[in-house]
Amino acid sequence: MENRDIARILHETALLLEIDGAIIGRYRSYEKAAELLSSIPEHVEELAKDRAKLTSLPGIGEGMAGHIDEILATGDYSLRKKLLKKYPATILDILSLQGIGPKKVALLWKKFKAGSVEDVAKLAREGKLRDIAGFGEKTEENILKAVEFFQRSSGRVRLDVATNTAAEVAEYIRKLGGKIESVTPAGSLRRGKETIGDLDFLVIPAGRPTQKAIDAIFDHILKFPPIQQVLAHGENKISFLLTNGMQVDVRAIAEESHGAALLYFTGSKEHNVALRGRANAMGYTLNEYALSTLKGERHVASKTEAEIYAKLKLPYIEPELRENTGEIEAAEKGALPKLITLDDIRGDLQMHTTASDGHNSIEEMAEAARDLGYEYIALTDHSKSVTVANGLDEKRTLAQIKKIREAEKRVGGIRLFASSEVDILKDGSLDLHDDVLAELDIVLVSIHSYMNLERAEMTDRILAAIENPYTQILAHPTGRLILKREPYDYDIEKVLDACRKHGVVVECNAAPERLDFRDANLRLAKQRGVKVVISTDAHSTAHFDLMKYGVQTARRGWLEAHDVVNTFPLKKFLSALRPKPARSGEHSTARKATAR
Ligand code: DGT
Ligand code: CA
Ligand code: CA
Ligand code: ZN
């Protein structure tokens, strides 16, 4: 069992306990354990073999260790199951509505027996929520908006959940060994979309496939333990539902049609339709088996995607670009971007340490980053207004800067930027005094409050932050949380133009719940001449691995290495940032952010 699976069960238990009115200490202990498990690099299933190792983890006592053992042994947890007898499983969906927490869910259950998003929507439509303490007419309106958002996105899962699930499915299928040639994920996952509807796999049987061989392959796959229901079982296709709710489609295809099938099942549908139109205009037909002459009497190409593109007089088009948003026209003109890759990344410019809400120390983060081969990182703990994350005030920020300087000497081999994720206040001013901003090597700014301002006010607020001479990077620029929270409403083009004017870089936050800027906005940033930085917003060393999702999103935004400042070597990176304001005081102990 993976850490995240155990963490999910503990997290749900915490939520159900809170809804059930348990005391804070009780549900917080589950929540803390869940957070810990999803952030540590060690494999808990291994650790749990030795009780002392498990209980040496911070916040894991004998009691919690016992619960973890139970989850590992049974795949579920009795308290969670007991609570789910009392409340419908759909009650947890209500929590994905923005602005509704466990306390409100508990209240709605007590008063109306509302146990699903539909129940809550009905109450809101009937105007029954406005008179409850803590709700009101405005909340009712917001709930209806949130319901609409929920229904639009329901059934889809985040890219990281889909990626991890796909890896487990593929690993299981690979146990077939010599019976298969290959197994490849296709569909929206291969295109790196931020949310995934279902997983699509292509399996190529070894040798000349007989129906018997395909049946044997499918028989093996259908024994994958997490399957909860088989949805379809045909000659060359099976579909099933996993216990985590994801649907999986698997198709068996002969080796000779590998490229055609991969092209077809990778999609997008819109890209396929456009390619088929092009094929027809050239006197061909294109389907999942081959590119053929119009009457289908001769196969022109089928083995690799590249061959098919070539016959259509196009260079190879990367999966992330296949959305029919101009990639075919660009390919025709030889104007496709040379997309950024994970290997291009040389540093990570947003992360948190134990000084605010991170799990690891400055040294631990620095060593892990150095081991990844990074040349530089910025340590960006929260500033004081973000009290829930134990944000740092001026005094603590100055102390943190000192610690970062010392850690840099101790760790060696990597440049550490003393930085801060400075909160943008409601009026657009920054949350730290200028004297302290001047001491920082890099100033990141972002919003964590008043996210529902009117469009004009929000635009002005962000513009004011960009105009602040200390601002260098605008972090998670739209504040959206995938499947949870809509982006702030503001004039993105105006903001991008201000970024270009002032040399402010925009972030592509790689955390899979954010991916912010999203693909289309990254493309817009590039068109408007604004540079991008891809950062993980790591809250532990394990999160450095999330960089891949940021890079994938950047690829979907057509970005090349030269569009992204953290692909640059140290010196060039620093010169790509907005210069710091000239200093007036002469007593400063600050050091200019130089490459040395
Ligand atoms: P998803 O699962 O909603 O995240 O998105 P996809 O793109 O994975 O869509 P899915 O799973 O329905 O189908 C996988 C691929 O199969 C899709 O990207 C393109 C291809 N495909 C599916 N249906 C059609 C169709 O009606 N026409 C064409 N040309 N291609 C299709
Ligand atoms: Ca799919
Ligand atoms: Ca599918
Ligand atoms: Zn933040």
Side-chain angles (χ1 to χ4, degrees), residues 351-368:
M351 67 192 64
H352 302 267
T353 73
T354 45
S356 64
D357 58 348
H359 285 276
N360 291 103
S361 66
I362 301 168
E363 271 89 349
E364 286 164 345
M365 295 304 273
E367 282 166 7

Side-chain angles (χ1 to χ4, degrees), residues 340 473 496 504-509 517 521-523 525-526 529-535 550 554 559-568 573:
I340 180 174
I473 297 175
L496 286 173
V504 168
V505 172
V506 292
E507 183 183 76
C508 167
N509 190 296
F517 267 160
N521 288 336
L522 293 170
R523 200 168 163 191
K526 177 180 172 142
V530 177
K531 290 275 189 244
V532 172
V533 58
I534 309 175
S535 301
L559 298 191
E560 307 185 56
H562 64 82
D563 299 314
V564 176
V565 293
N566 53 323
T567 65
F568 298 158
F573 165 73

Side-chain angles (χ1 to χ4, degrees), residues 324-497:
N324 197 28
T325 53
E327 73 278 12
I328 295 176
E329 294 78 357
E332 250 174 0
K333 285 188 269 176
L336 283 175
K338 186 177 179 303
L339 297 181
I340 180 174
T341 67
L342 191 55
D343 279 346
D344 293 324
I345 300 291
R346 291 174 191 254
D348 192 337
L349 284 304
Q350 182 176 173
M351 67 192 64
H352 302 267
T353 73
T354 45
S356 64
D357 58 348
H359 285 276
N360 291 103
S361 66
I362 301 168
E363 271 89 349
E364 286 164 345
M365 295 304 273
E367 282 166 7
R370 186 195 55 198
D371 294 347
L372 279 176
Y374 284 165
E375 291 172 32
Y376 48 86
I377 56 172
L379 296 125
T380 58
D381 278 301
H382 288 285
S383 65
K384 62 180 186 280
S385 293
V386 189
T387 48
V388 288
N390 188 25
L392 280 62
D393 61 9
E394 278 79 0
K395 202 169 150 221
R396 286 179 64 212
T397 303
L398 290 174
Q400 177 78 352
I401 295 173
K402 212 167 147 235
K403 278 192 209 155
I404 293 169
R405 307 256 184 263
E406 288 161 7
E408 183 180 57
K409 286 189 205 123
R410 267 201 304 279
V411 174
I414 183 164
R415 180 68 212 271
L416 305 187
F417 294 120
S419 184
S420 170
E421 182 183 6
V422 187
D423 199 46
I424 301 174
L425 302 177
K426 188 173 178 219
D427 63 359
S429 62
L430 299 187
D431 188 30
L432 289 176
H433 194 277
D434 282 0
D435 292 347
V436 175
L437 295 176
E439 301 291 323
L440 294 167
D441 296 329
I442 297 178
V443 174
L444 232 83
V445 303
S446 63
I447 285 176
H448 296 95
S449 62
Y450 300 102
M451 303 185 196
N452 290 325
L453 297 186
E454 296 298 332
R455 184 177 174 86
E457 195 182 355
M458 189 57 109
T459 306
D460 288 346
R461 177 188 189 185
I462 300 174
L463 289 176
I466 291 166
E467 278 155 21
N468 187 309
Y470 289 100
T471 296
Q472 290 169 302
I473 297 175
L474 179 63
H476 49 76
T478 74
R480 64 125 174 215
L481 293 178
I482 292 175
L483 303 176
K484 277 205 179 137
R485 186 168 77 206
E486 300 261 30
Y488 327 132
D489 185 15
Y490 66 92
D491 187 334
I492 290 193
E493 304 199 352
K494 250 191 190 165
V495 163
L496 286 173
D497 288 342

Side-chain angles (χ1 to χ4, degrees), residues 187-188 196-200:
S188 51
I196 306 297
D198 67 9
L199 297 176
D200 305 279

Side-chain angles (χ1 to χ4, degrees), residues 230-403:
V230 177
L231 303 170
H233 190 163
E235 278 180 11
N236 59 5
K237 176 187 161 161
I238 46 174
S239 289
F240 48 85
L241 200 61
L242 300 175
T243 46
N244 72 358
M246 284 216 81
Q247 187 185 318
V248 184
D249 294 343
V250 182
R251 289 174 186 82
I253 298 281
E255 170 69 20
E256 61 183 28
S257 289
H258 194 174
L262 200 52
L263 193 59
Y264 183 90
F265 292 113
T266 296
S268 67
K269 197 168 157 182
E270 292 73 16
H271 179 84
N272 289 354
V273 168
L275 268 193
R276 255 200 326 262
R278 184 180 177 87
N280 292 345
M282 293 173 71
Y284 298 131
T285 62
L286 177 61
N287 60 24
E288 63 265 52
Y289 298 104
L291 179 73
S292 316
T293 50
L294 252 185
K295 286 181 194 118
E297 71 265 14
R298 193 171 61 82
H299 279 199
V300 176
S302 62
K303 217 160 173 187
T304 69
E305 292 180 323
E307 275 169 50
I308 296 170
Y309 279 119
K311 289 289 180 199
L312 294 173
K313 300 209 179 326
L314 295 172
Y316 178 76
I317 301 177
E318 301 278 2
E320 291 91 338
L321 298 178
R322 299 182 196 168
E323 300 290 345
N324 197 28
T325 53
E327 73 278 12
I328 295 176
E329 294 78 357
E332 250 174 0
K333 285 188 269 176
L336 283 175
K338 186 177 179 303
L339 297 181
I340 180 174
T341 67
L342 191 55
D343 279 346
D344 293 324
I345 300 291
R346 291 174 191 254
D348 192 337
L349 284 304
Q350 182 176 173
M351 67 192 64
H352 302 267
T353 73
T354 45
S356 64
D357 58 348
H359 285 276
N360 291 103
S361 66
I362 301 168
E363 271 89 349
E364 286 164 345
M365 295 304 273
E367 282 166 7
R370 186 195 55 198
D371 294 347
L372 279 176
Y374 284 165
E375 291 172 32
Y376 48 86
I377 56 172
L379 296 125
T380 58
D381 278 301
H382 288 285
S383 65
K384 62 180 186 280
S385 293
V386 189
T387 48
V388 288
N390 188 25
L392 280 62
D393 61 9
E394 278 79 0
K395 202 169 150 221
R396 286 179 64 212
T397 303
L398 290 174
Q400 177 78 352
I401 295 173
K402 212 167 147 235
K403 278 192 209 155

